[in-house]
Amino acid sequence: MINRFCKMPLWECTKTLADVAQGRTSADVVITGAKLVNVCTAEIQENMDVAISCGRIAYVGQADHCIGDETLVIEANGQYIAPGFLDGHIHVESSMMGAGEYARAVIPHGTVGIYWDPHEICNVLGLEGVKVMMDDAARTPLKAMVTTPSCVPAVPGFEDTGSSVGPKEIAESMTWDGVVGLGEMMNFVGVVNGTDHAHGELAETLKADKVITGHYSIPENDRGLNAYVASGVRCCHESTRAEDALAKMRLGQYAQLRYGSAWHDLPELAHAITDTDIDTRFAHLVSDDTHPHTLVEDGHLDHVLRVAVSCGIPPIQAIQMVTLNVATCFRMDNELGSITPGKCADIVFLDGLDTLNVTRTIIDGDVVAEDGAVLFPLGSYGYPAWVTRSMHLKDEITPDSFAVPVPAEAADEDTVTVRTIEIIPGKVGAFETHVDLPVVNGKLESSLAQDVLKTFVFERHHETGTYGVGFTKGFGIQRGAMASTVAHDAHNLLVVGTNDADMALAANTLIQCGGGMVVVADGEVLGLVELPIAGLMDDLGAEQMSKKVHGLEDAWAQIGCAMPSPFMTMALIPLACLPELRLTNRGLVDCTKFEFVDLFV
């Protein structure tokens, strides 16, 4: 695979690098007096220098002979230097910022590259929307390496999205300079069962000699997992149990240990390493989805590293899991992931292996951030109007839109049993539970005593007028309603609430502002985050978005919810590729059998 993410291709600068290493030519930059985290040998090398030219590393050792009159000398003063951090699986849209602002938020935390799957915007606006985000990212030093969304829709036939992607579109995207692989293949059922659509996408990626990323979310580690790995899927971030991560690594699949704003799987998954004596080369750390307040308050991969170390993973191994292991997974370790001659000069400075605080970030030999501040200019990005006008509902939404009549044969019953989605705070999974709800005037209402809320999903892309009806358990709210157009992966309009009037207010608030997330109660908007870019993002910076999200979380607390990042958990209610029960605009889906099921048991 040709790496197009360095300042200069290696074939254009081999002679220069050799001259610098020999002392015949002065380096552009020399770092002196550092403690080198050598991820190749898992050791710390004291008092090391690094010479840089053409954006690449020319020499590692004692570099006095590489310094000339024009050389920029950076004194490390005993700080640690490590390869720049790489996130092997990330959805930029979950930050609620455009790609440019996302880069500005993560680079000061040592992130130099991301392998991102922009399937959120692709579900709304198709591959043209992906191109817009790529253009935004290209304004920054961040190596934003795209894995083309594979599952648009996530589960064909069970939801309506704004676009669709198949083998033909995958083949075309593989010719783009910014694409390095295929985004998470959530349709593991199609892969395991041998459908032409799923395997057609795999084939187009493999023919282009690029990497397939995975999403195998069921706790089955025998025939199904073997079939999935045999089909060329190189990595998976969906392990939630240590035994799942271990099984994947044993089969040669990279287990991506996840720790994001809401999905806190790493403490459990770390046992696959800390309770065994395995080689960790097939493990790496990912964030998957990170909200702006997490980026501002805690950091990005530096924060994930600190969590990994707190779970008992040795610091050098943890650093390997965001550098060399990731680059190797994507078959780019010849260019990225280590501080060794010939590699891109992507380097982070750390004040210690106990704190793992990043003090400086270098990308392609340029200092791009110091002490938490970016050093590169970034103006505003003008998104076209078709990107910011994505709300297309057919029917007006009123309180009557949320009526849930019971079947005629149950009209005289006191209660009716319904299938209910029970969410798990901090986890991506959900259970199917059966709840008896009282019948009031032939209809069903939310039951606060049982923590059960009405839930609706309205199609918002093509004015089809379709909508799904269900109930959700586990949010703990006592009044009001919530709505969001961040509703994975189709991103239709999701509304959850205690009463019909507040649910209508929440829905219409988002329709009027072009999408976003909102909390209302008693006819009043308590918290609102406008997301006019495809109903997923805004063009504000991380600090501004963080304040808005903080306000939204305060609003959640006001109505009774105490879980972490509740909107991220709520956003998975429609995701039909996750077990067990989900709700799309077409209805309730049994995601273990992949079939529609009736609301009433």
Side-chain angles (χ1 to χ4, degrees), residues 3-17:
N3 174 26
R4 304 183 187 276
F5 296 93
C6 285
K7 178 186 294 185
M8 186 177 294
L10 184 57
W11 63 77
E12 290 185 6
C13 54
T14 55
K15 185 178 184 301
T16 300
L17 296 177

Side-chain angles (χ1 to χ4, degrees), residues 185 188 191-194 198-199 202-203 206 212 214 216 220-236 247-248 250-254:
M185 177 46 76
F188 57 86
V191 174
V192 170
N193 292 334
H199 282 271
L202 302 183
L206 295 172
I212 300 168
Y216 191 79
E220 190 282 334
N221 296 318
D222 186 30
R223 296 184 183 185
L225 181 58
N226 272 269
Y228 196 64
V229 176
S231 299
V233 183
R234 193 161 171 85
C235 54
C236 176
K248 289 165 184 172
R250 284 172 170 164
L251 294 177
Q253 185 177 70
Y254 285 82

Side-chain angles (χ1 to χ4, degrees), residues 16-34:
T16 300
L17 296 177
D19 286 343
V20 171
Q22 291 281 21
R24 294 189 293 265
T25 298
S26 299
D28 299 330
V29 179
V30 171
I31 300 167
T32 64

Side-chain angles (χ1 to χ4, degrees), residues 176-193:
W176 301 355
D177 284 349
V179 171
V180 300
L182 185 69
E184 57 177 301
M185 177 46 76
M186 292 180 287
N187 187 11
F188 57 86
V189 175
V191 174
V192 170
N193 292 334

Side-chain angles (χ1 to χ4, degrees), residues 77-380:
N77 294 320
Q79 288 194 84
Y80 292 84
I81 59 172
F85 303 152
L86 303 169
D87 195 333
H89 180 71
I90 178 67
H91 304 290
V92 168
E93 301 97 318
S94 295
S95 72
M96 293 180 271
M97 298 179 286
E101 290 296 338
Y102 174 84
R104 177 151 55 184
V106 300
I107 285 175
H109 294 284
T111 302
V112 303
I114 57 172
Y115 295 88
W116 58 317
D117 182 349
H119 71 202
E120 319 299 357
I121 196 166
C122 191
N123 269 278
V124 179
L125 300 175
L127 289 175
E128 290 303 311
V130 172
K131 287 181 178 179
V132 171
M133 285 196 72
M134 292 173 69
D135 288 342
D136 188 5
R139 304 181 301 133
T140 78
L142 184 70
K143 300 177 192 292
M145 297 165 279
V146 172
T147 59
T148 303
S150 63
C151 297
V152 181
V155 185
F158 288 90
E159 61 187 349
D160 291 290
T161 59
S163 185
S164 62
V165 170
K168 179 181 177 182
E169 290 76 21
I170 295 298
E172 195 272 327
S173 74
M174 291 298 151
T175 66
W176 301 355
D177 284 349
V179 171
V180 300
L182 185 69
E184 57 177 301
M185 177 46 76
M186 292 180 287
N187 187 11
F188 57 86
V189 175
V191 174
V192 170
N193 292 334
T195 67
D196 290 341
H197 185 276
H199 282 271
E201 293 191 344
L202 302 183
E204 295 301 337
T205 307
L206 295 172
K207 283 192 287 185
D209 193 29
K210 298 188 178 180
V211 171
I212 300 168
T213 67
H215 173 119
Y216 191 79
S217 60
I218 59 174
E220 190 282 334
N221 296 318
D222 186 30
R223 296 184 183 185
L225 181 58
N226 272 269
Y228 196 64
V229 176
S231 299
V233 183
R234 193 161 171 85
C235 54
C236 176
H237 63 281
E238 283 294 336
S239 301
T240 57
R241 306 179 306 169
E243 56 262 43
D244 299 331
L246 187 58
K248 289 165 184 172
M249 289 187 279
R250 284 172 170 164
L251 294 177
Q253 185 177 70
Y254 285 82
Q256 299 169 309
L257 314 184
R258 173 171 54 192
Y259 197 85
S261 291
W263 327 132
H264 297 167
D265 298 308
L266 177 55
E268 166 61 25
L269 299 178
H271 289 289
I273 295 164
T274 59
D275 294 355
T276 65
D277 192 29
I278 65 167
D279 188 318
T280 58
R281 74 181 70 185
F282 279 97
H284 55 101
L285 304 172
V286 300
S287 64
D288 194 2
D289 296 292
T290 308
H291 269 187
H293 65 281
T294 302
L295 296 174
V296 171
E297 295 183 1
D298 300 320
H300 184 219
L301 290 173
D302 56 336
H303 173 52
V304 181
L305 279 172
R306 288 188 284 271
V307 173
V309 172
S310 73
C311 293
I313 298 175
I316 297 178
Q317 282 188 335
I319 291 172
Q320 287 174 319
M321 294 178 193
V322 293
T323 57
L324 183 60
N325 293 10
V326 185
T328 305
C329 171
F330 286 91
R331 295 192 284 112
M332 297 176 70
D333 53 304
N334 63 319
E335 297 269 30
L336 307 175
S338 65
I339 299 179
T340 51
K343 307 302 187 294
C344 297
D346 302 332
I347 300 171
V348 298
F349 287 63
L350 304 167
D351 62 6
L353 295 188
D354 51 349
T355 59
L356 292 165
N357 291 320
V358 175
T359 62
R360 181 184 286 115
T361 306
I362 293 176
I363 298 179
D364 287 346
D366 297 325
V367 179
V368 293
E370 279 189 332
D371 298 324
V374 297
L375 301 179
F376 57 90
L378 185 69
S380 60

